[in-house]
Amino acid sequence: MNLQDEINKDALKMAWARLHERIRRIKLGGGKARLKKLNDQGKLSARERINKLVDNPNEIFEIGVLAADKMYEEHGGCPSAGVVVVIAHVSKKRCVIVANDPTVKAGAWFPMTAKKNLRAQEIAMENKIPIIYLVDSAGIYLPLQHQIFADKDGFGRIFRNNAKMSSMGVIQIAAIMGSCVAGGAYLPIMSDEAIIVDKTGSLFLAGSYLVKAAIGENVDNEFLGGADTHSSISGVTDYKVKDDLAALKKIRSLIEKIGDKPNAGFQRTDVKKPKFESLSLYNILPKSRNQPYNTHDILDRIVDEGSMDEYKKEYGQTLITTYAKIEGWSVGIITNQRKVVKSKTGEMQFGGVIYGDAADKATRFIANCNQRNIPLVFLQDVTGFMVGSKAEHSGIVKDGAKMVNAVANSVVPKFTIIIGNSFGAGNYAMCGKAYDPRFIIAWPTAKLAVMGGAQAANVLLEMKKASAKKSSTHIDKVMEAKLKEENQNRYDEKTDILYAASQLWIDAVIEPEDTRSWISMGIDISNNAPSQKKFNMGILQV
């Protein structure tokens, strides 16, 4: 290992170490004192419930652990948006699990809680896999009800999705393991089957205090909506169990009995290891996001050895398009080539920039993968499309539009990994969040923005100088440097991938060596959902 490899490795390892410590604190939810209080009540925490439910706690893929990070601080914070969402095997079947965290504001729903729940339902609906709700929530967090209640993607959308999933045949099982109040009561009851835990589980549209205020009736919560009431009087729930462990055991038994359905037919053969160890990925990615590197070195550490068939290798070289296998699954990979390359005309092209010929190549490759039923994997380290008169005259806008069109209309599953930069229209062409990847994940040093911090700072500075000139105001060199630094610091904070994760623009920030397992899991669950659509680009045909 040379000195540059050591520098690269240290930078990425340090970024992951800082993130790992941040995640460790987030996973404590409302804190150790509240976790102890929960256990003293005879209840398990959200993460304990999940670990007891799944086949193997070491094979969990968590979605949105950083959601709402550093948000709602004036309300005491909302770690992980107050809900834990994972994908894992339950009774040998891949399931989405949604567990309210009662240590965070009694499991109350913040705006980001709703967004995260909707993302969980979207995963289940897209991939047609069972979804399990472990319900323990006080309902909408009232001080922020105006941000969650009435919009299309608000609280009510969750119940709409319950209904849609039921009509699609997507299995939904709910366990009422604590409070289930007001509008939140509809979620478990709109599921296919509902389990309620005796003495700790309760479900009602209005609690005893509101009932007293509304109609003057004196009634305690247990008689109003406890396990005995809903199991033997109202018939609202289907199974009554004695405690959390019994509820989880019942869920496993129900999932075990689900029959198999036709799959999408994605090709899988024997798994082969990559040419080089995945751990050595840390050596490849430069510490500076502006330095070039050979992206083939990344692929050699992600794909199964000897599986690559590179499409149009000598053409449009700022994008690599290749058929390959990842953990035995056939995939089509589109990735930015970050080294400087020479075009077919002898022109030197910048790494990370998409040129017209590269966009044309990618469009054709996407069409091929759709024709052959091969899932697509996008590895992003992109600064955008090429600009300037030469690019414009050659039709870069049309070439880029065709690529974006192909990505948007693709009917095979898409998976996006942001390994470096994700800037501007390059984010769109390389299947950003707006283009419905089944999963979008990132490495710890990734950046996501319209443009890089330095470029944005320069643009804002030029605008400031132009404004000052119009008003006959002079900006000296010292003030210029100060303004540029302030602009860049402000912009860099919002381009950090952890900010993107807190907004749920991405599903997870992962260690680079976990890239293979995330992609493999994604294809595995998407194989449950055969597509009924045909690839068609409309007027922008290839």
Side-chain angles (χ1 to χ4, degrees), residues 179-243:
S179 297
C180 193
V181 183
Y186 287 107
L187 184 147
I189 305 312
M190 291 188 73
S191 299
D192 300 314
E193 292 182 286
I195 301 158
I196 189 166
V197 178
D198 195 19
K199 301 297 185 274
T200 57
S202 59
L203 180 143
F204 32 68
L205 294 181
S208 56
Y209 293 122
L210 183 53
V211 168
K212 172 67 174 176
I215 64 173
E217 180 185 2
N218 287 306
V219 60
D220 63 68
N221 283 338
E222 185 64 25
F223 182 74
L224 183 66
D228 284 339
T229 294
H230 286 311
S231 295
S232 60
I233 300 175
S234 72
V236 164
T237 56
D238 305 301
Y239 308 94
K240 182 179 78 170
V241 295
K242 65 177 182 178
D243 56 24

Side-chain angles (χ1 to χ4, degrees), residues 488-500:
Q488 183 160 348
N489 289 341
R490 189 163 52 246
Y491 198 86
D492 282 344
E493 181 184 355
K494 296 295 189 291
T495 66
D496 191 290
I497 202 63
L498 301 188
Y499 180 80

Side-chain angles (χ1 to χ4, degrees), residues 37 44 53 119 240 243 335 342 381 395 398 452 501 525 528:
K37 183 179 179 181
L44 300 172
L53 175 62
R119 176 63 183 133
K240 182 179 78 170
D243 56 24
T335 182
K342 187 180 289 188
D381 193 350
K398 187 88 180 258
I525 65 169
N528 289 280

